[in-house]
Amino acid sequence: MKQKELEIKIEKFSEKGLGIAFDENKNKILIPKVVINDVLLASLNKKSKGVIKGKLLNLISPSSYRSNPVCEHFDICGGCTWQNLQYDEQLNQKQNLIVKYFNEDLKNNSVNLFSIKPCENIFEYRNKMEFSFAENRKKTKYLGLIMHGGRFVIDIHRCYLSSLWFSRVLKNVKLWWEKYNFTAFNFLDGLGLLRTLTIKEGKNTNEKMIVLTISNETNLTKEQKDDFISFVKEALSEDKSFDENEVSIFLNIQIAEKKKKTTFVLEKLFGKDFIKEDLHINALNENINLSFQIGPFSFFQPNTLQAQNLYSIAIDHLKDENLKDKVIFDLYSGTGTIGMILSNFSKKVIAVEINEDAANQAKQNAKLNNINNFEMINADVSCFLNNFVSQDLQRPHLIVVDPPRAGLSADSIENILKISPKVILYISCNPITQKENIDMLTKNGYQLKILHPIDQFPHTYHIENIAILKKLDFE
């Protein structure tokens, strides 16, 4: 059955960066990879769950906000949504979303909304990429990223979100794969060997890490491992500044069995156990330099240079707080990055993180930086807060939260309210759940004072947002 075709104009973006248009019956139409004010011919699917999904057939009148994508994969790759949108307009759209989400709060003159912080490098900003192996029924091999709106993997020749050497390694690993003709792992039947290729780099140190993840279907022979190392090093040697002492290569065996916890067996093939990344923070008129060890499983902010701005700006917004003799809680701490930075300005930081690997990494990084007033507790945040409240201990002056996209649990919010810190610094990668949590806090004695969005991920719809709340009747 032939799909309906319709000439439409894109009026706005959805919260996930899709173009929104309306038909003659005011039905919402969602179109990927288009720009506000584009006039286009689209093919339309049947209405489902209140919306009609469509596809661009022909661009009749391009928007003045359009930009030519530099990436050859843009039309089908799921990595970028807005590479065809001028960067100034990307920032404008993200700023407008914060205004939309916090519209009621902004009617209160006590809330100070700052302009979004642009990203200086809008290409090659990511310090980590994960690429997938896949095969079709004809055994054609693919190594790259997931197709937009689907589950299929597309070959990536050059990804402009990461440094050029990432793509060189990708190309050579594909050649290594073709040499040995391994099977790619298939999530539908659980069969196949090659799963993912993870690449990391220290943007401020030039150190590099490559992690090949395979299933436990079989292991690689010594010859195959040595060959993998050679193919990777050959790709890296195309850069004149290549130094093999800055490279770490790992093999990661993922053991996933039904009704059992997934486990990993890690083998270092080449180089050091970790790569190092440095952060340079300029906050409260101080320059702070910290070093972090990053392992194969470590989480680190994916945009190093913008993370420096994020943390510097967040701490600068605390300039009216005298933190020198105060205790700070850093909840959902990850590897403790912002907590370690804040330890330079406070009496003590107590960080809480449920992931054991991340918590252990934080402890090692605190030692690496000779930080003695930072304590990492490996625990669930809700359990930690419950125990803290029940013991009726001295409350912290500041609580920092940087939760997952789902936001804070109701239990965590309830206990934060019981602890009643003077200040809450809430950093979020999901302003929607952040807004929901802030509503609960402002209904219970807190006042939103500052909102400051940060663009961590150019060419995507994602926004990082800083919010600062203060206790109204703090004693």
Side-chain angles (χ1 to χ4, degrees), residues 330-333 352 380-382 385 399-417 421 424-442 446 467 469:
D330 176 18
L331 307 181
Y332 307 93
S333 179
V352 184
D380 174 75
V381 168
S382 294
L385 292 175
I399 287 183
V400 179
V401 293
D402 189 355
R405 290 189 62 81
L408 301 171
S409 67
D411 186 47
S412 293
I413 293 175
E414 181 180 345
N415 282 317
I416 288 172
L417 291 171
I424 299 171
L425 168 57
Y426 191 147
I427 299 173
S428 177
C429 60
N430 185 355
I432 297 175
T433 53
Q434 183 188 41
K435 164 62 178 170
E436 294 169 355
N437 293 162
I438 286 175
D439 282 349
M440 293 183 68
L441 293 167
T442 55
Y446 281 87
L469 301 95

mmCIF file of all heavy atoms in Angstrom, residues 330-333 352 380-382 385 399-417 421 424-442 446 467 469:
data_model
loop_
_atom_site.group_PDB
_atom_site.id
_atom_site.type_symbol
_atom_site.label_atom_id
_atom_site.label_comp_id
_atom_site.label_asym_id
_atom_site.label_seq_id
_atom_site.Cartn_x
_atom_site.Cartn_y
_atom_site.Cartn_z
ATOM 1 N N ASP A 330 28.378 14.699 48.144
ATOM 2 C CA ASP A 330 28.377 14.550 46.685
ATOM 3 C C ASP A 330 27.688 13.224 46.371
ATOM 4 O O ASP A 330 28.288 12.153 46.462
ATOM 5 C CB ASP A 330 29.816 14.571 46.162
ATOM 6 C CG ASP A 330 29.914 14.327 44.664
ATOM 7 O OD1 ASP A 330 28.881 14.481 43.977
ATOM 8 O OD2 ASP A 330 31.008 13.969 44.185
ATOM 9 N N LEU A 331 26.384 13.291 46.027
ATOM 10 C CA LEU A 331 25.584 12.086 45.821
ATOM 11 C C LEU A 331 25.541 11.700 44.342
ATOM 12 O O LEU A 331 25.584 12.563 43.480
ATOM 13 C CB LEU A 331 24.162 12.314 46.346
ATOM 14 C CG LEU A 331 24.049 12.823 47.793
ATOM 15 C CD1 LEU A 331 22.585 12.983 48.186
ATOM 16 C CD2 LEU A 331 24.755 11.877 48.763
ATOM 17 N N TYR A 332 25.433 10.411 44.070
ATOM 18 C CA TYR A 332 25.544 9.884 42.697
ATOM 19 C C TYR A 332 26.869 10.365 42.115
ATOM 20 O O TYR A 332 26.940 10.934 41.034
ATOM 21 C CB TYR A 332 24.372 10.337 41.831
ATOM 22 C CG TYR A 332 23.016 10.033 42.415
ATOM 23 C CD1 TYR A 332 22.344 10.979 43.200
ATOM 24 C CD2 TYR A 332 22.393 8.812 42.206
ATOM 25 C CE1 TYR A 332 21.094 10.709 43.745
ATOM 26 C CE2 TYR A 332 21.143 8.534 42.751
ATOM 27 C CZ TYR A 332 20.507 9.491 43.518
ATOM 28 O OH TYR A 332 19.267 9.220 44.057
ATOM 29 N N SER A 333 27.921 10.107 42.851
ATOM 30 C CA SER A 333 29.206 10.770 42.633
ATOM 31 C C SER A 333 29.988 10.248 41.441
ATOM 32 O O SER A 333 30.895 10.927 40.963
ATOM 33 C CB SER A 333 30.053 10.626 43.903
ATOM 34 O OG SER A 333 31.302 11.215 43.738
ATOM 35 N N VAL A 352 29.072 9.584 47.609
ATOM 36 C CA VAL A 352 28.335 8.320 47.650
ATOM 37 C C VAL A 352 28.093 7.830 46.222
ATOM 38 O O VAL A 352 27.576 8.582 45.389
ATOM 39 C CB VAL A 352 26.984 8.475 48.381
ATOM 40 C CG1 VAL A 352 26.288 7.117 48.488
ATOM 41 C CG2 VAL A 352 27.178 9.093 49.764
ATOM 42 N N ASP A 380 24.243 2.567 48.018
ATOM 43 C CA ASP A 380 23.066 3.140 47.367
ATOM 44 C C ASP A 380 22.730 4.459 48.051
ATOM 45 O O ASP A 380 22.730 4.552 49.286
ATOM 46 C CB ASP A 380 21.892 2.170 47.487
ATOM 47 C CG ASP A 380 20.600 2.759 46.950
ATOM 48 O OD1 ASP A 380 20.454 2.841 45.721
ATOM 49 O OD2 ASP A 380 19.750 3.151 47.779
ATOM 50 N N VAL A 381 22.444 5.493 47.277
ATOM 51 C CA VAL A 381 22.191 6.820 47.844
ATOM 52 C C VAL A 381 21.025 6.796 48.828
ATOM 53 O O VAL A 381 21.113 7.376 49.923
ATOM 54 C CB VAL A 381 21.936 7.855 46.720
ATOM 55 C CG1 VAL A 381 21.375 9.151 47.296
ATOM 56 C CG2 VAL A 381 23.230 8.139 45.962
ATOM 57 N N SER A 382 19.935 6.132 48.476
ATOM 58 C CA SER A 382 18.765 6.079 49.359
ATOM 59 C C SER A 382 19.107 5.434 50.688
ATOM 60 O O SER A 382 18.711 5.921 51.755
ATOM 61 C CB SER A 382 17.615 5.327 48.686
ATOM 62 O OG SER A 382 17.142 6.030 47.567
ATOM 63 N N LEU A 385 21.352 7.794 52.761
ATOM 64 C CA LEU A 385 20.592 8.889 53.342
ATOM 65 C C LEU A 385 19.696 8.411 54.482
ATOM 66 O O LEU A 385 19.555 9.088 55.506
ATOM 67 C CB LEU A 385 19.758 9.589 52.263
ATOM 68 C CG LEU A 385 20.548 10.356 51.195
ATOM 69 C CD1 LEU A 385 19.606 10.901 50.127
ATOM 70 C CD2 LEU A 385 21.360 11.495 51.804
ATOM 71 N N ILE A 399 24.553 19.950 49.475
ATOM 72 C CA ILE A 399 24.413 18.632 48.864
ATOM 73 C C ILE A 399 24.464 18.798 47.347
ATOM 74 O O ILE A 399 23.720 19.614 46.780
ATOM 75 C CB ILE A 399 23.106 17.928 49.273
ATOM 76 C CG1 ILE A 399 23.189 17.450 50.735
ATOM 77 C CG2 ILE A 399 22.825 16.735 48.365
ATOM 78 C CD1 ILE A 399 21.967 16.682 51.213
ATOM 79 N N VAL A 400 25.365 18.049 46.723
ATOM 80 C CA VAL A 400 25.491 18.036 45.266
ATOM 81 C C VAL A 400 24.859 16.746 44.747
ATOM 82 O O VAL A 400 25.158 15.665 45.254
ATOM 83 C CB VAL A 400 26.967 18.095 44.828
ATOM 84 C CG1 VAL A 400 27.078 18.062 43.301
ATOM 85 C CG2 VAL A 400 27.644 19.333 45.392
ATOM 86 N N VAL A 401 23.987 16.853 43.770
ATOM 87 C CA VAL A 401 23.400 15.668 43.143
ATOM 88 C C VAL A 401 23.589 15.747 41.628
ATOM 89 O O VAL A 401 23.384 16.789 41.021
ATOM 90 C CB VAL A 401 21.897 15.501 43.483
ATOM 91 C CG1 VAL A 401 21.709 15.192 44.950
ATOM 92 C CG2 VAL A 401 21.082 16.722 43.097
ATOM 93 N N ASP A 402 24.006 14.636 41.065
ATOM 94 C CA ASP A 402 24.150 14.493 39.607
ATOM 95 C C ASP A 402 23.637 13.102 39.256
ATOM 96 O O ASP A 402 24.406 12.191 38.951
ATOM 97 C CB ASP A 402 25.608 14.670 39.194
ATOM 98 C CG ASP A 402 25.780 14.739 37.683
ATOM 99 O OD1 ASP A 402 24.768 14.551 36.953
ATOM 100 O OD2 ASP A 402 26.913 14.968 37.222
ATOM 101 N N PRO A 403 22.294 12.917 39.337
ATOM 102 C CA PRO A 403 21.718 11.576 39.219
ATOM 103 C C PRO A 403 21.644 11.086 37.774
ATOM 104 O O PRO A 403 21.876 11.854 36.831
ATOM 105 C CB PRO A 403 20.313 11.767 39.791
ATOM 106 C CG PRO A 403 19.969 13.188 39.453
ATOM 107 C CD PRO A 403 21.271 13.940 39.561
ATOM 108 N N PRO A 404 21.296 9.811 37.574
ATOM 109 C CA PRO A 404 21.033 9.296 36.227
ATOM 110 C C PRO A 404 19.846 10.028 35.593
ATOM 111 O O PRO A 404 19.180 10.832 36.262
ATOM 112 C CB PRO A 404 20.701 7.817 36.466
ATOM 113 C CG PRO A 404 21.224 7.510 37.828
ATOM 114 C CD PRO A 404 21.145 8.778 38.608
ATOM 115 N N ARG A 405 19.557 9.710 34.336
ATOM 116 C CA ARG A 405 18.499 10.421 33.608
ATOM 117 C C ARG A 405 17.133 10.306 34.286
ATOM 118 O O ARG A 405 16.288 11.190 34.152
ATOM 119 C CB ARG A 405 18.404 9.885 32.173
ATOM 120 C CG ARG A 405 19.588 10.254 31.301
ATOM 121 C CD ARG A 405 19.341 9.901 29.849
ATOM 122 N NE ARG A 405 18.227 10.622 29.276
ATOM 123 C CZ ARG A 405 18.292 11.875 28.823
ATOM 124 N NH1 ARG A 405 19.425 12.552 28.910
ATOM 125 N NH2 ARG A 405 17.229 12.437 28.293
ATOM 126 N N ALA A 406 16.923 9.236 35.044
ATOM 127 C CA ALA A 406 15.637 9.050 35.725
ATOM 128 C C ALA A 406 15.443 10.022 36.876
ATOM 129 O O ALA A 406 14.330 10.170 37.397
ATOM 130 C CB ALA A 406 15.528 7.613 36.229
ATOM 131 N N GLY A 407 16.511 10.706 37.286
ATOM 132 C CA GLY A 407 16.395 11.700 38.352
ATOM 133 C C GLY A 407 16.478 11.088 39.738
ATOM 134 O O GLY A 407 16.853 9.927 39.918
ATOM 135 N N LEU A 408 16.135 11.886 40.743
ATOM 136 C CA LEU A 408 16.173 11.452 42.134
ATOM 137 C C LEU A 408 14.942 10.617 42.463
ATOM 138 O O LEU A 408 13.841 10.916 41.997
ATOM 139 C CB LEU A 408 16.209 12.665 43.064
ATOM 140 C CG LEU A 408 17.382 13.648 42.910
ATOM 141 C CD1 LEU A 408 17.134 14.894 43.749
ATOM 142 C CD2 LEU A 408 18.692 12.995 43.309
ATOM 143 N N SER A 409 15.128 9.614 43.287
ATOM 144 C CA SER A 409 13.980 8.834 43.754
ATOM 145 C C SER A 409 13.210 9.647 44.791
ATOM 146 O O SER A 409 13.761 10.557 45.426
ATOM 147 C CB SER A 409 14.443 7.513 44.369
ATOM 148 O OG SER A 409 15.157 7.757 45.569
ATOM 149 N N ALA A 410 11.929 9.310 44.960
ATOM 150 C CA ALA A 410 11.101 10.004 45.961
ATOM 151 C C ALA A 410 11.690 9.836 47.352
ATOM 152 O O ALA A 410 11.676 10.763 48.174
ATOM 153 C CB ALA A 410 9.676 9.466 45.912
ATOM 154 N N ASP A 411 12.269 8.653 47.621
ATOM 155 C CA ASP A 411 12.886 8.380 48.914
ATOM 156 C C ASP A 411 14.098 9.281 49.146
ATOM 157 O O ASP A 411 14.288 9.823 50.245
ATOM 158 C CB ASP A 411 13.289 6.905 48.977
ATOM 159 C CG ASP A 411 13.817 6.498 50.341
ATOM 160 O OD1 ASP A 411 13.179 6.850 51.346
ATOM 161 O OD2 ASP A 411 14.865 5.833 50.406
ATOM 162 N N SER A 412 14.911 9.464 48.107
ATOM 163 C CA SER A 412 16.089 10.331 48.226
ATOM 164 C C SER A 412 15.677 11.778 48.489
ATOM 165 O O SER A 412 16.267 12.466 49.327
ATOM 166 C CB SER A 412 16.941 10.245 46.960
ATOM 167 O OG SER A 412 17.518 8.968 46.825
ATOM 168 N N ILE A 413 14.662 12.243 47.767
ATOM 169 C CA ILE A 413 14.185 13.618 47.972
ATOM 170 C C ILE A 413 13.664 13.799 49.396
ATOM 171 O O ILE A 413 13.948 14.797 50.069
ATOM 172 C CB ILE A 413 13.096 13.975 46.942
ATOM 173 C CG1 ILE A 413 13.703 14.025 45.534
ATOM 174 C CG2 ILE A 413 12.436 15.314 47.286
ATOM 175 C CD1 ILE A 413 12.695 14.254 44.437
ATOM 176 N N GLU A 414 12.920 12.810 49.873
ATOM 177 C CA GLU A 414 12.368 12.888 51.233
ATOM 178 C C GLU A 414 13.485 13.010 52.267
ATOM 179 O O GLU A 414 13.400 13.812 53.210
ATOM 180 C CB GLU A 414 11.528 11.635 51.517
ATOM 181 C CG GLU A 414 10.886 11.628 52.891
ATOM 182 C CD GLU A 414 10.074 10.376 53.139
ATOM 183 O OE1 GLU A 414 9.776 9.643 52.162
ATOM 184 O OE2 GLU A 414 9.743 10.116 54.311
ATOM 185 N N ASN A 415 14.556 12.234 52.093
ATOM 186 C CA ASN A 415 15.659 12.280 53.047
ATOM 187 C C ASN A 415 16.500 13.538 52.916
ATOM 188 O O ASN A 415 17.008 14.056 53.913
ATOM 189 C CB ASN A 415 16.537 11.031 52.894
ATOM 190 C CG ASN A 415 15.926 9.814 53.541
ATOM 191 O OD1 ASN A 415 15.397 9.895 54.652
ATOM 192 N ND2 ASN A 415 15.980 8.679 52.866
ATOM 193 N N ILE A 416 16.651 14.045 51.693
ATOM 194 C CA ILE A 416 17.348 15.326 51.513
ATOM 195 C C ILE A 416 16.592 16.428 52.247
ATOM 196 O O ILE A 416 17.189 17.297 52.901
ATOM 197 C CB ILE A 416 17.509 15.655 50.013
ATOM 198 C CG1 ILE A 416 18.547 14.728 49.371
ATOM 199 C CG2 ILE A 416 17.917 17.119 49.818
ATOM 200 C CD1 ILE A 416 18.649 14.842 47.869
ATOM 201 N N LEU A 417 15.263 16.376 52.161
ATOM 202 C CA LEU A 417 14.448 17.366 52.877
ATOM 203 C C LEU A 417 14.614 17.226 54.383
ATOM 204 O O LEU A 417 14.630 18.230 55.106
ATOM 205 C CB LEU A 417 12.980 17.207 52.478
ATOM 206 C CG LEU A 417 12.633 17.613 51.039
ATOM 207 C CD1 LEU A 417 11.208 17.195 50.688
ATOM 208 C CD2 LEU A 417 12.809 19.124 50.849
ATOM 209 N N PRO A 421 19.878 20.641 53.941
ATOM 210 C CA PRO A 421 21.082 21.461 53.732
ATOM 211 C C PRO A 421 20.689 22.880 53.330
ATOM 212 O O PRO A 421 19.575 23.102 52.838
ATOM 213 C CB PRO A 421 21.782 20.746 52.580
ATOM 214 C CG PRO A 421 20.651 20.131 51.807
ATOM 215 C CD PRO A 421 19.655 19.695 52.838
ATOM 216 N N ILE A 424 21.458 23.243 47.651
ATOM 217 C CA ILE A 424 21.471 22.041 46.808
ATOM 218 C C ILE A 424 21.954 22.440 45.419
ATOM 219 O O ILE A 424 21.388 23.335 44.791
ATOM 220 C CB ILE A 424 20.076 21.404 46.704
ATOM 221 C CG1 ILE A 424 19.565 20.969 48.087
ATOM 222 C CG2 ILE A 424 20.106 20.199 45.757
ATOM 223 C CD1 ILE A 424 18.113 20.536 48.083
ATOM 224 N N LEU A 425 23.017 21.793 44.985
ATOM 225 C CA LEU A 425 23.512 21.968 43.616
ATOM 226 C C LEU A 425 23.087 20.740 42.825
ATOM 227 O O LEU A 425 23.528 19.629 43.108
ATOM 228 C CB LEU A 425 25.042 22.108 43.613
ATOM 229 C CG LEU A 425 25.760 22.010 42.255
ATOM 230 C CD1 LEU A 425 25.243 23.047 41.277
ATOM 231 C CD2 LEU A 425 27.271 22.126 42.435
ATOM 232 N N TYR A 426 22.198 20.943 41.858
ATOM 233 C CA TYR A 426 21.611 19.840 41.096
ATOM 234 C C TYR A 426 22.064 19.954 39.647
ATOM 235 O O TYR A 426 21.662 20.854 38.919
ATOM 236 C CB TYR A 426 20.084 19.905 41.192
ATOM 237 C CG TYR A 426 19.318 18.701 40.676
ATOM 238 C CD1 TYR A 426 18.118 18.324 41.267
ATOM 239 C CD2 TYR A 426 19.753 17.939 39.596
ATOM 240 C CE1 TYR A 426 17.383 17.223 40.813
ATOM 241 C CE2 TYR A 426 19.048 16.851 39.133
ATOM 242 C CZ TYR A 426 17.862 16.497 39.745
ATOM 243 O OH TYR A 426 17.154 15.413 39.286
ATOM 244 N N ILE A 427 22.933 19.020 39.238
ATOM 245 C CA ILE A 427 23.415 18.960 37.857
ATOM 246 C C ILE A 427 22.703 17.810 37.174
ATOM 247 O O ILE A 427 22.637 16.702 37.709
ATOM 248 C CB ILE A 427 24.939 18.765 37.796
ATOM 249 C CG1 ILE A 427 25.653 19.944 38.464
ATOM 250 C CG2 ILE A 427 25.415 18.608 36.349
ATOM 251 C CD1 ILE A 427 27.160 19.767 38.597
ATOM 252 N N SER A 428 22.156 18.051 35.990
ATOM 253 C CA SER A 428 21.342 17.022 35.343
ATOM 254 C C SER A 428 21.579 16.966 33.845
ATOM 255 O O SER A 428 21.773 17.993 33.193
ATOM 256 C CB SER A 428 19.854 17.288 35.606
ATOM 257 O OG SER A 428 19.058 16.342 34.924
ATOM 258 N N CYS A 429 21.531 15.735 33.314
ATOM 259 C CA CYS A 429 21.564 15.534 31.864
ATOM 260 C C CYS A 429 20.147 15.377 31.327
ATOM 261 O O CYS A 429 19.959 15.157 30.132
ATOM 262 C CB CYS A 429 22.401 14.319 31.508
ATOM 263 S SG CYS A 429 21.780 12.779 32.233
ATOM 264 N N ASN A 430 19.145 15.512 32.200
ATOM 265 C CA ASN A 430 17.735 15.391 31.793
ATOM 266 C C ASN A 430 16.911 16.460 32.512
ATOM 267 O O ASN A 430 16.387 16.218 33.606
ATOM 268 C CB ASN A 430 17.202 13.995 32.109
ATOM 269 C CG ASN A 430 15.788 13.787 31.594
ATOM 270 O OD1 ASN A 430 15.156 14.696 31.072
ATOM 271 N ND2 ASN A 430 15.289 12.569 31.724
ATOM 272 N N PRO A 431 16.788 17.655 31.919
ATOM 273 C CA PRO A 431 16.045 18.733 32.582
ATOM 274 C C PRO A 431 14.582 18.414 32.875
ATOM 275 O O PRO A 431 13.975 19.073 33.719
ATOM 276 C CB PRO A 431 16.162 19.894 31.579
ATOM 277 C CG PRO A 431 17.380 19.594 30.786
ATOM 278 C CD PRO A 431 17.414 18.102 30.674
ATOM 279 N N ILE A 432 14.015 17.417 32.197
ATOM 280 C CA ILE A 432 12.609 17.065 32.453
ATOM 281 C C ILE A 432 12.460 16.467 33.846
ATOM 282 O O ILE A 432 11.630 16.913 34.655
ATOM 283 C CB ILE A 432 12.086 16.088 31.380
ATOM 284 C CG1 ILE A 432 12.116 16.751 29.997
ATOM 285 C CG2 ILE A 432 10.664 15.639 31.722
ATOM 286 C CD1 ILE A 432 11.733 15.832 28.859
ATOM 287 N N THR A 433 13.267 15.437 34.161
ATOM 288 C CA THR A 433 13.194 14.850 35.501
ATOM 289 C C THR A 433 13.780 15.805 36.545
ATOM 290 O O THR A 433 13.342 15.814 37.699
ATOM 291 C CB THR A 433 13.925 13.496 35.556
ATOM 292 O OG1 THR A 433 15.265 13.654 35.051
ATOM 293 C CG2 THR A 433 13.202 12.473 34.710
ATOM 294 N N GLN A 434 14.743 16.618 36.131
ATOM 295 C CA GLN A 434 15.288 17.625 37.047
ATOM 296 C C GLN A 434 14.188 18.590 37.487
ATOM 297 O O GLN A 434 14.065 18.913 38.674
ATOM 298 C CB GLN A 434 16.423 18.397 36.361
ATOM 299 C CG GLN A 434 17.104 19.429 37.264
ATOM 300 C CD GLN A 434 18.076 20.304 36.485
ATOM 301 O OE1 GLN A 434 17.789 20.711 35.359
ATOM 302 N NE2 GLN A 434 19.216 20.589 37.075
ATOM 303 N N LYS A 435 13.386 19.034 36.548
ATOM 304 C CA LYS A 435 12.270 19.939 36.858
ATOM 305 C C LYS A 435 11.281 19.280 37.816
ATOM 306 O O LYS A 435 10.816 19.911 38.781
ATOM 307 C CB LYS A 435 11.582 20.348 35.552
ATOM 308 C CG LYS A 435 10.197 20.966 35.695
ATOM 309 C CD LYS A 435 10.194 22.257 36.484
ATOM 310 C CE LYS A 435 8.772 22.848 36.534
ATOM 311 N NZ LYS A 435 8.686 23.969 37.474
ATOM 312 N N GLU A 436 10.939 18.005 37.580
ATOM 313 C CA GLU A 436 10.010 17.292 38.460
ATOM 314 C C GLU A 436 10.552 17.223 39.883
ATOM 315 O O GLU A 436 9.819 17.437 40.860
ATOM 316 C CB GLU A 436 9.765 15.882 37.915
ATOM 317 C CG GLU A 436 9.021 15.863 36.578
ATOM 318 C CD GLU A 436 9.017 14.486 35.926
ATOM 319 O OE1 GLU A 436 9.684 13.567 36.475
ATOM 320 O OE2 GLU A 436 8.363 14.327 34.878
ATOM 321 N N ASN A 437 11.846 16.934 40.015
ATOM 322 C CA ASN A 437 12.457 16.864 41.342
ATOM 323 C C ASN A 437 12.500 18.226 42.019
ATOM 324 O O ASN A 437 12.238 18.353 43.223
ATOM 325 C CB ASN A 437 13.879 16.317 41.232
ATOM 326 C CG ASN A 437 13.946 14.867 40.790
ATOM 327 O OD1 ASN A 437 15.000 14.406 40.344
ATOM 328 N ND2 ASN A 437 12.849 14.125 40.892
ATOM 329 N N ILE A 438 12.832 19.257 41.242
ATOM 330 C CA ILE A 438 12.905 20.610 41.799
ATOM 331 C C ILE A 438 11.533 21.072 42.279
ATOM 332 O O ILE A 438 11.413 21.758 43.306
ATOM 333 C CB ILE A 438 13.523 21.578 40.769
ATOM 334 C CG1 ILE A 438 15.034 21.310 40.667
ATOM 335 C CG2 ILE A 438 13.258 23.041 41.136
ATOM 336 C CD1 ILE A 438 15.746 22.117 39.606
ATOM 337 N N ASP A 439 10.482 20.687 41.581
ATOM 338 C CA ASP A 439 9.128 21.035 42.033
ATOM 339 C C ASP A 439 8.859 20.485 43.427
ATOM 340 O O ASP A 439 8.254 21.155 44.278
ATOM 341 C CB ASP A 439 8.084 20.490 41.052
ATOM 342 C CG ASP A 439 7.955 21.342 39.808
ATOM 343 O OD1 ASP A 439 8.515 22.463 39.794
ATOM 344 O OD2 ASP A 439 7.312 20.893 38.839
ATOM 345 N N MET A 440 9.307 19.247 43.678
ATOM 346 C CA MET A 440 9.116 18.654 45.004
ATOM 347 C C MET A 440 9.919 19.396 46.061
ATOM 348 O O MET A 440 9.457 19.590 47.194
ATOM 349 C CB MET A 440 9.506 17.175 44.977
ATOM 350 C CG MET A 440 8.589 16.312 44.125
ATOM 351 S SD MET A 440 9.026 14.549 44.177
ATOM 352 C CE MET A 440 8.602 14.158 45.887
ATOM 353 N N LEU A 441 11.108 19.836 45.704
ATOM 354 C CA LEU A 441 11.948 20.554 46.654
ATOM 355 C C LEU A 441 11.409 21.951 46.951
ATOM 356 O O LEU A 441 11.410 22.406 48.101
ATOM 357 C CB LEU A 441 13.382 20.642 46.107
ATOM 358 C CG LEU A 441 14.132 19.311 46.004
ATOM 359 C CD1 LEU A 441 15.394 19.459 45.166
ATOM 360 C CD2 LEU A 441 14.488 18.771 47.394
ATOM 361 N N THR A 442 10.923 22.640 45.913
ATOM 362 C CA THR A 442 10.412 23.999 46.122
ATOM 363 C C THR A 442 9.071 24.015 46.860
ATOM 364 O O THR A 442 8.694 25.024 47.449
ATOM 365 C CB THR A 442 10.273 24.749 44.784
ATOM 366 O OG1 THR A 442 9.460 23.986 43.886
ATOM 367 C CG2 THR A 442 11.636 24.997 44.153
ATOM 368 N N TYR A 446 12.369 24.978 49.741
ATOM 369 C CA TYR A 446 13.518 25.446 48.969
ATOM 370 C C TYR A 446 13.083 26.423 47.882
ATOM 371 O O TYR A 446 11.949 26.364 47.393
ATOM 372 C CB TYR A 446 14.270 24.265 48.351
ATOM 373 C CG TYR A 446 15.167 23.578 49.352
ATOM 374 C CD1 TYR A 446 14.666 22.563 50.166
ATOM 375 C CD2 TYR A 446 16.489 23.964 49.524
ATOM 376 C CE1 TYR A 446 15.462 21.951 51.115
ATOM 377 C CE2 TYR A 446 17.294 23.350 50.470
ATOM 378 C CZ TYR A 446 16.783 22.344 51.267
ATOM 379 O OH TYR A 446 17.583 21.748 52.206
ATOM 380 N N ALA A 467 21.403 23.676 38.306
ATOM 381 C CA ALA A 467 20.381 24.359 39.105
ATOM 382 C C ALA A 467 20.886 24.485 40.532
ATOM 383 O O ALA A 467 21.482 23.549 41.074
ATOM 384 C CB ALA A 467 19.056 23.599 39.076
ATOM 385 N N LEU A 469 19.536 25.570 44.409
ATOM 386 C CA LEU A 469 18.405 25.872 45.281
ATOM 387 C C LEU A 469 18.915 26.206 46.673
ATOM 388 O O LEU A 469 19.943 25.675 47.120
ATOM 389 C CB LEU A 469 17.451 24.680 45.382
ATOM 390 C CG LEU A 469 16.828 24.160 44.086
ATOM 391 C CD1 LEU A 469 17.636 23.002 43.529
ATOM 392 C CD2 LEU A 469 15.386 23.730 44.314
#
